[in-house]
Amino acid sequence: MREYHLAPFRAAVEAGCSQVMPYYGQPVGTDWEEVGFGFNKDVLTGLLRERLGFDGIVCTDWGLLSDAEIMGQPAEARAWGVEHLSVAERAAKALDAGTDQFGGEQCPEVIVELVRTGRVAEERIDASVRRLLREKFVLGLFENPYVDPDRAEETVGAREFTALGEAAQRRSLTVLENRGLLPLRGRPELYVQGMNQEAAAAYGNIVTDPADADVAVLRLRTPYEPRPGAFESFFHAGSLAFPTRS
């Protein structure tokens, strides 16, 4: 299924995507090295840069190199597959893999020392610096680093951008099963839950009792397994199965 899942990434690169953030996860049971994607040369250089032709910035997800404290709780570095390496060794491996920037890290002295000892060539650092500076020049941050508040107000939430976002959401919806129900015809009796009734009324007559409805449209939140801890509790992960209802 690799080629199938690569399709949106290929399209993004062809559309001119300028930055990519590899996730924490590591490939298992493939011909790629089984290390997190931020450290994975097979993926960042072999696939992303050489095969797909990406020439932009690779910024890792947060906290790959060093342990930290988040909301008063210890957070180990998410260095999957290279947990046994030191912070400096992890940084060197990520740079060798094709990483340009480390998200959430505050240890520039580690990179300086890698260059001083000859473990990482200064030319390698220059390559990433060029990518980062190029992005700033393209954005005009050196010529005019300040935001025009009037222009920002016109741009943020502009009707054109909102319409494009809504269209993208509609296109992302996937029908898993259709037993002759769709497309709806006429103005059916609709029971809706978890959505704006006024918006739904454009497509049918809204009823308050499901027994009176021809069609029920429910907007459900994705199931997840709660995590303990102040920081981890913000994230929804685990099983996507809906619980059995009696």
Side-chain angles (χ1 to χ4, degrees):
M1 301 293 287
R2 181 183 296 177
E3 293 303 312
Y4 179 82
H5 289 291
L6 276 179
F9 294 92
R10 184 180 293 108
V13 172
E14 292 174 353
C17 167
S18 64
Q19 299 186 30
V20 167
M21 176 179 285
Y23 188 56
Y24 298 113
Q26 65 187 79
V28 175
T30 74
D31 55 345
W32 292 332
E33 185 182 6
E34 293 191 1
V35 296
F37 289 115
F39 307 99
N40 202 306
K41 190 170 186 176
D42 293 332
V43 174
L44 298 187
T45 296
L47 174 64
L48 185 61
R49 296 206 186 278
E50 295 178 354
R51 180 179 170 190
L52 299 185
F54 178 72
D55 191 34
I57 297 166
V58 172
C59 177
T60 72
D61 214 326
W62 262 226
L64 259 65
L65 301 183
S66 51
D67 299 340
E69 183 177 288
I70 302 177
M71 300 180 69
Q73 296 180 324
E76 293 184 1
R78 289 165 286 284
W80 310 144
V82 295
E83 296 94 337
H84 60 290
L85 298 183
S86 68
V87 171
E89 290 169 334
R90 293 171 187 173
K93 184 170 181 60
L95 290 169
D96 289 343
T99 288
D100 297 304
Q101 186 175 5
F102 294 99
E105 298 290 347
Q106 300 181 44
C107 51
E109 70 281 356
V110 172
I111 309 302
V112 171
E113 187 62 22
L114 286 171
V115 174
R116 283 178 176 168
T117 60
R119 172 61 183 84
V120 174
E122 188 172 344
E123 291 77 11
R124 170 64 190 87
I125 302 301
D126 289 344
S128 289
V129 170
R130 278 194 295 271
R131 293 188 184 107
L132 291 161
L133 287 176
R134 180 180 61 189
E135 187 83 342
K136 296 178 185 294
F137 277 111
V138 169
L139 293 171
L141 296 182
F142 289 104
E143 293 82 2
N144 185 8
Y146 303 105
V147 173
D148 180 345
D150 295 331
R151 178 61 176 160
E153 188 173 349
E154 293 175 6
T155 304
V156 176
R159 183 174 299 176
E160 176 188 359
F161 300 150
T162 301
L164 288 171
E166 291 175 347
Q169 290 187 56
R170 285 193 292 271
R171 291 177 61 192
S172 73
L173 298 177
T174 302
V175 177
L176 298 181
E177 184 176 313
N178 181 22
R179 299 180 181 180
L181 179 64
L182 300 176
L184 298 178
R185 294 175 177 81
R187 288 190 57 81
E189 305 296 304
L190 290 179
Y191 172 79
V192 298
Q193 181 178 309
M195 64 187 66
N196 186 290
Q197 291 195 0
E198 292 183 6
Y203 303 94
N205 304 315
I206 306 301
V207 298
T208 57
D209 189 339
D212 299 329
D214 299 315
V215 178
V217 183
L218 311 181
R219 185 177 184 180
L220 306 177
R221 291 187 176 275
T222 305
Y224 67 96
E225 297 173 359
R227 294 178 174 184
F231 182 65
E232 288 291 314
S233 64
F234 284 114
F235 298 91
H236 293 178
S239 173
L240 299 179
F242 284 93
T244 302
R245 299 183 183 276
S246 57

